[in-house]
Amino acid sequence: MTGIEKKIRSSSAHSPSDNLKKKAKGRPLANDGNVRERILKAAREVFILHSFKAASTRMIAKQAGVEHPMIHYYFGSKEKLFYAMAETIYNETLPVQEAWFDGLERMSLHEGFSLFIDRMLNYTMKTPDALRIAALNAVNIGDIEEIPGFRFILMSMAAMRRIMEEKLKLRGPNREIEMFIYCFFSIMISFVGARSCQAQILNMNPLDEKYRAWVKDASMTLFYPWFKKILIGQ
């Protein structure tokens, strides 16, 4: 069992997922599913702008256009709502993450890694929610388990390793593979999740193609030699 897998197993004891299906007592609304989805969408919009600690259920209710008690009716608490939102993002991202590696095994290492970076940036620059939420909360916590759903970051790392092992046949030492994946995720949280800050430091527009090109060049420089090492095993 890898270090990431051990952390996932440990975090499952703190997961509120078993309680998400339990609604507060009361009469359900006629458009039950629609209201729940509106709340989830609003939570996502609020949590990409405010950390878990700074956001409130009243802010989310206002964004969703529903009465505040509806948040507690459908989700029970801010913690459970955040967890449900994080799970939704994880489930959306997982099949996309798998597609980033399609066909790389038929290319040269450099060509394949370049395509992987392009695919990853094409998606995350357009849909940065997961990385932005991770960046916002990274500086606002003491214990990572204070943030509901943090396990989905670990699960994404574990999924990346599984996909790489299945499609690319990793040969590097376990420690090198885990370090590569952890550092890659951490850098992307910074470069993409906190791109407004990072781009301005570089005197660039975070939405401009010039910044995207810089992120790709930096990623190739930092991670291609490492990627090559864990595939060749030397």
Side-chain angles (χ1 to χ4, degrees):
M1 183 182 295
T2 68
I4 291 174
E5 289 170 337
K6 289 178 182 177
K7 190 66 177 175
I8 293 172
R9 177 170 293 185
S10 172
S11 71
S12 64
H14 305 279
S15 167
S17 59
D18 293 340
N19 298 320
L20 286 174
K21 296 178 182 178
K22 299 178 182 178
K23 294 181 181 179
K25 294 180 180 180
R27 181 181 297 176
L29 302 180
N31 56 346
D32 187 76
N34 181 50
V35 173
R36 187 180 189 280
E37 290 307 310
R38 279 168 56 194
I39 293 171
L40 270 176
K41 180 176 181 292
R44 192 163 174 165
E45 292 166 351
V46 169
F47 284 125
I48 63 172
L49 297 175
H50 306 278
S51 70
F52 171 73
K53 289 185 176 181
S56 70
T57 52
R58 291 191 181 279
M59 293 166 64
I60 296 167
K62 182 178 180 181
Q63 183 72 13
V66 301
E67 295 296 325
H68 181 244
M70 290 296 98
I71 302 292
H72 295 278
Y73 174 80
Y74 285 100
F75 295 95
S77 67
K78 182 173 76 167
E79 289 78 9
K80 293 174 185 176
L81 174 54
F82 189 95
Y83 187 95
M85 177 211 64
E87 185 173 34
T88 298
I89 293 175
Y90 171 78
N91 289 334
E92 287 175 2
T93 305
L94 185 59
V96 179
Q97 187 178 352
E98 292 193 13
W100 294 342
F101 292 90
D102 287 349
L104 301 193
E105 72 280 2
R106 298 189 295 272
M107 303 177 181
S108 69
L109 291 180
H110 190 275
E111 182 184 16
F113 191 67
S114 177
L115 179 58
F116 161 72
I117 295 295
D118 277 332
R119 288 170 170 173
M120 183 273 300
L121 290 177
N122 287 344
Y123 180 78
T124 58
M125 287 291 190
K126 183 178 179 180
T127 313
D129 298 9
L131 296 176
R132 183 174 175 83
I133 291 168
L136 267 175
N137 286 284
V139 296
N140 284 283
I141 58 174
D143 185 342
I144 193 172
E145 293 183 7
E146 293 176 15
I147 304 299
F150 83 93
R151 67 194 302 262
F152 292 112
I153 298 175
L154 303 176
M155 289 169 64
S156 293
M157 292 182 185
M160 182 171 174
R161 174 168 185 157
R162 173 185 58 78
I163 297 164
M164 290 177 72
E165 286 178 335
E166 289 175 356
K167 297 192 175 186
L168 302 178
K169 311 301 181 186
L170 302 181
R171 296 182 177 85
N174 179 64
R175 182 175 180 277
E176 285 284 339
I177 295 169
E178 284 210 343
M179 192 180 296
F180 170 85
I181 292 172
Y182 174 80
C183 290
F184 183 81
F185 267 77
S186 297
I187 290 293
M188 290 307 119
I189 287 171
S190 178
F191 284 176
V192 180
R195 65 180 172 181
S196 179
C197 175
Q198 298 290 4
Q200 289 181 69
I201 290 172
L202 296 166
N203 198 29
M204 295 180 186
N205 182 335
L207 302 179
D208 194 80
E209 177 62 27
K210 183 179 179 182
Y211 179 68
R212 183 199 182 281
W214 184 91
V215 172
K216 180 178 180 180
D217 287 347
S219 300
M220 292 296 294
T221 300
L222 291 170
F223 291 105
Y224 173 67
W226 207 346
F227 176 77
K228 183 177 179 180
K229 182 178 180 181
I230 62 175
L231 260 68
I232 296 177
Q234 296 178 353

